[in-house]
Amino acid sequence: DVKVTQSSRYLVKRTGEKVFLECVQDMDHENMFWYRQDPGLGLRLIYFSYDVKMKEKGDIPEGYSVSREKKERFSLILESASTNQTSMYLCASSPANEKLFFGSGTQLSVL
Amino acid sequence: QKEVEQDPGPLSVPEGAIVSLNCTYSNSAFQYFMWYRQYSRKGPELLMYTYSSGNKEDGRFTAQVDKSSKYISLFIRDSQPSDSATYLCAMRFYGQNFVFGPGTRLSVLP
């Protein structure tokens, strides 16, 4: 079975903190993605990666960065968390841009 | 006009009803279509995946794609309270990332 694991289900951080969201997939997929999901706005793509050490900006990359040092791991970094980054963060992976498989999500609250 | 449109609902139906969920889209280049189910505070779960036009059936679920009308549907037969969730459509064309609809919230009442 496909498995995408996000390290935290719920996270509470303070404004200005550096935040790391980790995602690991066990399916040897080339492609990994980070989305955020907000009520009324749906899923928005933050960053994606088609290979190790490779990253591409999605639709809303401002305030975020990513790291992909190993094929199975894709990290999302909030350099200086702000309250407007309070959201549900979803990691996904896919083989050669086929079907997307999602993790359970991390609900981040920035106070 | 948004690239993918979906009625947000909520849609409430009695248990056992046939549910029809729909998305319209504007980009005729889309070739790959998916439906996801998302329970509250969980990640989306892939339900159906279709390529190009036509129907696909899996148990109580049927996905339909009408490329000439730029319209896709998900039908749920004999709906159950456990089907209560938000349903997201997603689509893409070769070499591009997925585009998601905003989701339709469904409640199946016992």
Side-chain angles (χ1 to χ4, degrees), chain B residues 17-45:
Chain B
I18 296 175
V19 176
S20 172
L21 303 165
N22 310 297
C23 286
T24 57
Y25 60 93
S26 56
N27 192 338
S28 57
F30 287 136
Q31 301 169 287
Y32 303 91
F33 304 92
M34 298 184 295
W35 284 97
Y36 285 88
R37 176 176 63 198
Q38 185 176 22
Y39 292 115
S40 182
R41 301 185 186 278
K42 297 284 179 74
E45 168 195 7

mmCIF file of all heavy atoms in Angstrom, chain B residues 17-45:
data_model
loop_
_atom_site.group_PDB
_atom_site.id
_atom_site.type_symbol
_atom_site.label_atom_id
_atom_site.label_comp_id
_atom_site.label_asym_id
_atom_site.label_seq_id
_atom_site.Cartn_x
_atom_site.Cartn_y
_atom_site.Cartn_z
ATOM 1 N N ALA B 17 -29.586 7.101 -1.207
ATOM 2 C CA ALA B 17 -29.791 7.909 -2.417
ATOM 3 C C ALA B 17 -28.614 7.767 -3.374
ATOM 4 O O ALA B 17 -27.511 7.376 -2.985
ATOM 5 C CB ALA B 17 -29.978 9.379 -2.037
ATOM 6 N N ILE B 18 -28.885 8.087 -4.632
ATOM 7 C CA ILE B 18 -27.804 8.209 -5.617
ATOM 8 C C ILE B 18 -27.317 9.654 -5.589
ATOM 9 O O ILE B 18 -28.105 10.589 -5.705
ATOM 10 C CB ILE B 18 -28.292 7.847 -7.031
ATOM 11 C CG1 ILE B 18 -28.716 6.384 -7.091
ATOM 12 C CG2 ILE B 18 -27.183 8.120 -8.062
ATOM 13 C CD1 ILE B 18 -29.331 5.968 -8.421
ATOM 14 N N VAL B 19 -26.008 9.795 -5.441
ATOM 15 C CA VAL B 19 -25.411 11.126 -5.354
ATOM 16 C C VAL B 19 -24.698 11.435 -6.654
ATOM 17 O O VAL B 19 -23.999 10.584 -7.216
ATOM 18 C CB VAL B 19 -24.402 11.202 -4.188
ATOM 19 C CG1 VAL B 19 -23.713 12.562 -4.162
ATOM 20 C CG2 VAL B 19 -25.099 10.929 -2.856
ATOM 21 N N SER B 20 -24.870 12.650 -7.132
ATOM 22 C CA SER B 20 -24.165 13.104 -8.329
ATOM 23 C C SER B 20 -23.321 14.316 -7.970
ATOM 24 O O SER B 20 -23.841 15.337 -7.507
ATOM 25 C CB SER B 20 -25.182 13.470 -9.416
ATOM 26 O OG SER B 20 -24.524 14.093 -10.510
ATOM 27 N N LEU B 21 -22.028 14.210 -8.165
ATOM 28 C CA LEU B 21 -21.094 15.308 -7.892
ATOM 29 C C LEU B 21 -20.438 15.697 -9.211
ATOM 30 O O LEU B 21 -20.097 14.829 -10.016
ATOM 31 C CB LEU B 21 -20.032 14.858 -6.891
ATOM 32 C CG LEU B 21 -20.562 14.351 -5.556
ATOM 33 C CD1 LEU B 21 -19.487 13.607 -4.793
ATOM 34 C CD2 LEU B 21 -21.096 15.508 -4.735
ATOM 35 N N ASN B 22 -20.257 16.994 -9.428
ATOM 36 C CA ASN B 22 -19.835 17.449 -10.746
ATOM 37 C C ASN B 22 -18.756 18.510 -10.691
ATOM 38 O O ASN B 22 -18.673 19.275 -9.725
ATOM 39 C CB ASN B 22 -21.043 18.043 -11.483
ATOM 40 C CG ASN B 22 -22.239 17.133 -11.454
ATOM 41 O OD1 ASN B 22 -22.202 16.036 -11.980
ATOM 42 N ND2 ASN B 22 -23.289 17.573 -10.781
ATOM 43 N N CYS B 23 -17.973 18.542 -11.761
ATOM 44 C CA CYS B 23 -16.993 19.618 -11.963
ATOM 45 C C CYS B 23 -17.038 20.051 -13.420
ATOM 46 O O CYS B 23 -17.201 19.215 -14.311
ATOM 47 C CB CYS B 23 -15.568 19.140 -11.663
ATOM 48 S SG CYS B 23 -15.208 18.941 -9.916
ATOM 49 N N THR B 24 -16.884 21.338 -13.621
ATOM 50 C CA THR B 24 -16.716 21.846 -14.982
ATOM 51 C C THR B 24 -15.329 22.473 -15.074
ATOM 52 O O THR B 24 -14.763 22.914 -14.062
ATOM 53 C CB THR B 24 -17.780 22.890 -15.344
ATOM 54 O OG1 THR B 24 -17.710 23.966 -14.385
ATOM 55 C CG2 THR B 24 -19.166 22.294 -15.317
ATOM 56 N N TYR B 25 -14.796 22.491 -16.277
ATOM 57 C CA TYR B 25 -13.462 23.042 -16.441
ATOM 58 C C TYR B 25 -13.380 23.813 -17.745
ATOM 59 O O TYR B 25 -14.216 23.657 -18.636
ATOM 60 C CB TYR B 25 -12.409 21.937 -16.378
ATOM 61 C CG TYR B 25 -12.527 20.857 -17.427
ATOM 62 C CD1 TYR B 25 -11.829 20.930 -18.625
ATOM 63 C CD2 TYR B 25 -13.330 19.744 -17.209
ATOM 64 C CE1 TYR B 25 -11.919 19.932 -19.582
ATOM 65 C CE2 TYR B 25 -13.436 18.742 -18.157
ATOM 66 C CZ TYR B 25 -12.730 18.832 -19.336
ATOM 67 O OH TYR B 25 -12.830 17.832 -20.280
ATOM 68 N N SER B 26 -12.360 24.645 -17.845
ATOM 69 C CA SER B 26 -12.272 25.532 -19.005
ATOM 70 C C SER B 26 -11.164 25.123 -19.983
ATOM 71 O O SER B 26 -11.223 25.495 -21.154
ATOM 72 C CB SER B 26 -12.034 26.978 -18.546
ATOM 73 O OG SER B 26 -10.874 27.052 -17.731
ATOM 74 N N ASN B 27 -10.187 24.359 -19.531
ATOM 75 C CA ASN B 27 -9.037 24.025 -20.369
ATOM 76 C C ASN B 27 -9.261 22.707 -21.104
ATOM 77 O O ASN B 27 -9.238 21.638 -20.501
ATOM 78 C CB ASN B 27 -7.780 23.940 -19.498
ATOM 79 C CG ASN B 27 -6.516 23.879 -20.328
ATOM 80 O OD1 ASN B 27 -6.536 23.502 -21.496
ATOM 81 N ND2 ASN B 27 -5.410 24.260 -19.726
ATOM 82 N N SER B 28 -9.471 22.774 -22.399
ATOM 83 C CA SER B 28 -9.771 21.568 -23.175
ATOM 84 C C SER B 28 -8.575 20.623 -23.275
ATOM 85 O O SER B 28 -8.712 19.505 -23.763
ATOM 86 C CB SER B 28 -10.243 21.958 -24.582
ATOM 87 O OG SER B 28 -9.258 22.748 -25.220
ATOM 88 N N ALA B 29 -7.401 21.053 -22.832
ATOM 89 C CA ALA B 29 -6.209 20.198 -22.900
ATOM 90 C C ALA B 29 -6.176 19.145 -21.786
ATOM 91 O O ALA B 29 -5.389 18.201 -21.851
ATOM 92 C CB ALA B 29 -4.946 21.047 -22.846
ATOM 93 N N PHE B 30 -7.005 19.298 -20.768
ATOM 94 C CA PHE B 30 -6.978 18.320 -19.670
ATOM 95 C C PHE B 30 -7.283 16.916 -20.193
ATOM 96 O O PHE B 30 -8.199 16.713 -20.985
ATOM 97 C CB PHE B 30 -7.984 18.687 -18.579
ATOM 98 C CG PHE B 30 -7.574 19.859 -17.740
ATOM 99 C CD1 PHE B 30 -8.491 20.856 -17.417
ATOM 100 C CD2 PHE B 30 -6.288 19.971 -17.248
ATOM 101 C CE1 PHE B 30 -8.125 21.945 -16.635
ATOM 102 C CE2 PHE B 30 -5.913 21.052 -16.463
ATOM 103 C CZ PHE B 30 -6.831 22.035 -16.168
ATOM 104 N N GLN B 31 -6.474 15.959 -19.718
ATOM 105 C CA GLN B 31 -6.631 14.574 -20.192
ATOM 106 C C GLN B 31 -6.840 13.594 -19.040
ATOM 107 O O GLN B 31 -7.388 12.520 -19.257
ATOM 108 C CB GLN B 31 -5.344 14.125 -20.884
ATOM 109 C CG GLN B 31 -4.913 14.939 -22.077
ATOM 110 C CD GLN B 31 -3.509 14.547 -22.473
ATOM 111 O OE1 GLN B 31 -2.549 14.889 -21.779
ATOM 112 N NE2 GLN B 31 -3.380 13.832 -23.571
ATOM 113 N N TYR B 32 -6.302 13.920 -17.879
ATOM 114 C CA TYR B 32 -6.318 13.003 -16.746
ATOM 115 C C TYR B 32 -7.219 13.598 -15.675
ATOM 116 O O TYR B 32 -7.061 14.750 -15.291
ATOM 117 C CB TYR B 32 -4.905 12.815 -16.191
ATOM 118 C CG TYR B 32 -3.913 12.322 -17.210
ATOM 119 C CD1 TYR B 32 -3.172 13.218 -17.964
ATOM 120 C CD2 TYR B 32 -3.734 10.965 -17.425
ATOM 121 C CE1 TYR B 32 -2.269 12.785 -18.911
ATOM 122 C CE2 TYR B 32 -2.825 10.517 -18.369
ATOM 123 C CZ TYR B 32 -2.099 11.428 -19.110
ATOM 124 O OH TYR B 32 -1.212 10.989 -20.047
ATOM 125 N N PHE B 33 -8.126 12.770 -15.165
ATOM 126 C CA PHE B 33 -9.149 13.257 -14.240
ATOM 127 C C PHE B 33 -9.194 12.354 -13.017
ATOM 128 O O PHE B 33 -9.157 11.127 -13.134
ATOM 129 C CB PHE B 33 -10.516 13.292 -14.929
ATOM 130 C CG PHE B 33 -10.517 14.119 -16.190
ATOM 131 C CD1 PHE B 33 -10.255 13.533 -17.422
ATOM 132 C CD2 PHE B 33 -10.770 15.483 -16.133
ATOM 133 C CE1 PHE B 33 -10.234 14.301 -18.590
ATOM 134 C CE2 PHE B 33 -10.752 16.253 -17.288
ATOM 135 C CZ PHE B 33 -10.482 15.664 -18.512
ATOM 136 N N MET B 34 -9.282 12.983 -11.860
ATOM 137 C CA MET B 34 -9.320 12.216 -10.623
ATOM 138 C C MET B 34 -10.395 12.748 -9.695
ATOM 139 O O MET B 34 -10.746 13.931 -9.749
ATOM 140 C CB MET B 34 -7.965 12.323 -9.909
ATOM 141 C CG MET B 34 -6.808 11.764 -10.704
ATOM 142 S SD MET B 34 -5.270 11.804 -9.784
ATOM 143 C CE MET B 34 -5.047 13.555 -9.613
ATOM 144 N N TRP B 35 -10.874 11.861 -8.854
ATOM 145 C CA TRP B 35 -11.771 12.229 -7.756
ATOM 146 C C TRP B 35 -11.142 11.775 -6.455
ATOM 147 O O TRP B 35 -10.659 10.646 -6.346
ATOM 148 C CB TRP B 35 -13.138 11.577 -7.918
ATOM 149 C CG TRP B 35 -13.989 12.223 -8.946
ATOM 150 C CD1 TRP B 35 -14.153 11.836 -10.238
ATOM 151 C CD2 TRP B 35 -14.810 13.391 -8.775
ATOM 152 N NE1 TRP B 35 -15.010 12.700 -10.887
ATOM 153 C CE2 TRP B 35 -15.432 13.655 -10.009
ATOM 154 C CE3 TRP B 35 -15.076 14.245 -7.695
ATOM 155 C CZ2 TRP B 35 -16.310 14.719 -10.192
ATOM 156 C CZ3 TRP B 35 -15.945 15.297 -7.872
ATOM 157 C CH2 TRP B 35 -16.550 15.531 -9.115
ATOM 158 N N TYR B 36 -11.164 12.674 -5.481
ATOM 159 C CA TYR B 36 -10.659 12.393 -4.146
ATOM 160 C C TYR B 36 -11.783 12.557 -3.127
ATOM 161 O O TYR B 36 -12.662 13.413 -3.283
ATOM 162 C CB TYR B 36 -9.532 13.367 -3.769
ATOM 163 C CG TYR B 36 -8.216 13.085 -4.441
ATOM 164 C CD1 TYR B 36 -7.922 13.636 -5.677
ATOM 165 C CD2 TYR B 36 -7.276 12.274 -3.839
ATOM 166 C CE1 TYR B 36 -6.709 13.386 -6.290
ATOM 167 C CE2 TYR B 36 -6.054 12.012 -4.442
ATOM 168 C CZ TYR B 36 -5.782 12.576 -5.669
ATOM 169 O OH TYR B 36 -4.586 12.315 -6.276
ATOM 170 N N ARG B 37 -11.698 11.761 -2.069
ATOM 171 C CA ARG B 37 -12.578 11.919 -0.929
ATOM 172 C C ARG B 37 -11.712 12.385 0.237
ATOM 173 O O ARG B 37 -10.643 11.828 0.493
ATOM 174 C CB ARG B 37 -13.243 10.584 -0.584
ATOM 175 C CG ARG B 37 -14.108 10.585 0.646
ATOM 176 C CD ARG B 37 -14.783 9.240 0.826
ATOM 177 N NE ARG B 37 -13.821 8.173 1.040
ATOM 178 C CZ ARG B 37 -14.101 6.879 0.894
ATOM 179 N NH1 ARG B 37 -15.304 6.494 0.529
ATOM 180 N NH2 ARG B 37 -13.169 5.969 1.113
ATOM 181 N N GLN B 38 -12.209 13.378 0.952
ATOM 182 C CA GLN B 38 -11.452 13.908 2.088
ATOM 183 C C GLN B 38 -12.360 14.002 3.302
ATOM 184 O O GLN B 38 -13.312 14.781 3.321
ATOM 185 C CB GLN B 38 -10.856 15.278 1.754
ATOM 186 C CG GLN B 38 -9.950 15.823 2.848
ATOM 187 C CD GLN B 38 -9.292 17.136 2.478
ATOM 188 O OE1 GLN B 38 -9.773 17.867 1.620
ATOM 189 N NE2 GLN B 38 -8.172 17.458 3.115
ATOM 190 N N TYR B 39 -12.025 13.224 4.321
ATOM 191 C CA TYR B 39 -12.728 13.328 5.587
ATOM 192 C C TYR B 39 -12.155 14.513 6.356
ATOM 193 O O TYR B 39 -11.018 14.937 6.136
ATOM 194 C CB TYR B 39 -12.594 12.047 6.390
ATOM 195 C CG TYR B 39 -13.316 10.863 5.774
ATOM 196 C CD1 TYR B 39 -12.621 9.754 5.309
ATOM 197 C CD2 TYR B 39 -14.708 10.858 5.663
ATOM 198 C CE1 TYR B 39 -13.276 8.670 4.749
ATOM 199 C CE2 TYR B 39 -15.372 9.781 5.098
ATOM 200 C CZ TYR B 39 -14.652 8.693 4.645
ATOM 201 O OH TYR B 39 -15.300 7.635 4.079
ATOM 202 N N SER B 40 -12.951 14.994 7.310
ATOM 203 C CA SER B 40 -12.558 16.176 8.061
ATOM 204 C C SER B 40 -11.209 15.980 8.738
ATOM 205 O O SER B 40 -10.963 14.952 9.361
ATOM 206 C CB SER B 40 -13.643 16.465 9.113
ATOM 207 O OG SER B 40 -13.326 17.620 9.832
ATOM 208 N N ARG B 41 -10.322 16.939 8.557
ATOM 209 C CA ARG B 41 -8.988 16.960 9.179
ATOM 210 C C ARG B 41 -8.111 15.784 8.742
ATOM 211 O O ARG B 41 -7.210 15.372 9.482
ATOM 212 C CB ARG B 41 -9.098 16.996 10.702
ATOM 213 C CG ARG B 41 -9.858 18.186 11.225
ATOM 214 C CD ARG B 41 -9.840 18.269 12.736
ATOM 215 N NE ARG B 41 -10.684 19.331 13.216
ATOM 216 C CZ ARG B 41 -10.335 20.603 13.277
ATOM 217 N NH1 ARG B 41 -9.138 20.976 12.871
ATOM 218 N NH2 ARG B 41 -11.163 21.507 13.742
ATOM 219 N N LYS B 42 -8.378 15.246 7.565
ATOM 220 C CA LYS B 42 -7.541 14.179 7.016
ATOM 221 C C LYS B 42 -7.060 14.580 5.622
ATOM 222 O O LYS B 42 -7.568 15.525 5.025
ATOM 223 C CB LYS B 42 -8.331 12.875 6.919
ATOM 224 C CG LYS B 42 -8.797 12.313 8.243
ATOM 225 C CD LYS B 42 -7.650 11.666 8.981
ATOM 226 C CE LYS B 42 -8.067 11.104 10.326
ATOM 227 N NZ LYS B 42 -8.850 9.868 10.187
ATOM 228 N N GLY B 43 -6.077 13.829 5.093
ATOM 229 C CA GLY B 43 -5.629 14.084 3.743
ATOM 230 C C GLY B 43 -6.585 13.495 2.713
ATOM 231 O O GLY B 43 -7.337 12.569 3.012
ATOM 232 N N PRO B 44 -6.595 14.023 1.481
ATOM 233 C CA PRO B 44 -7.449 13.467 0.431
ATOM 234 C C PRO B 44 -7.028 12.042 0.064
ATOM 235 O O PRO B 44 -5.840 11.727 0.014
ATOM 236 C CB PRO B 44 -7.211 14.409 -0.754
ATOM 237 C CG PRO B 44 -6.680 15.673 -0.157
ATOM 238 C CD PRO B 44 -5.893 15.242 1.030
ATOM 239 N N GLU B 45 -8.034 11.233 -0.218
ATOM 240 C CA GLU B 45 -7.826 9.825 -0.558
ATOM 241 C C GLU B 45 -8.312 9.619 -1.994
ATOM 242 O O GLU B 45 -9.445 9.992 -2.321
ATOM 243 C CB GLU B 45 -8.638 8.984 0.416
ATOM 244 C CG GLU B 45 -8.795 7.529 0.090
ATOM 245 C CD GLU B 45 -9.909 6.900 0.910
ATOM 246 O OE1 GLU B 45 -10.634 7.616 1.629
ATOM 247 O OE2 GLU B 45 -10.062 5.679 0.802
#
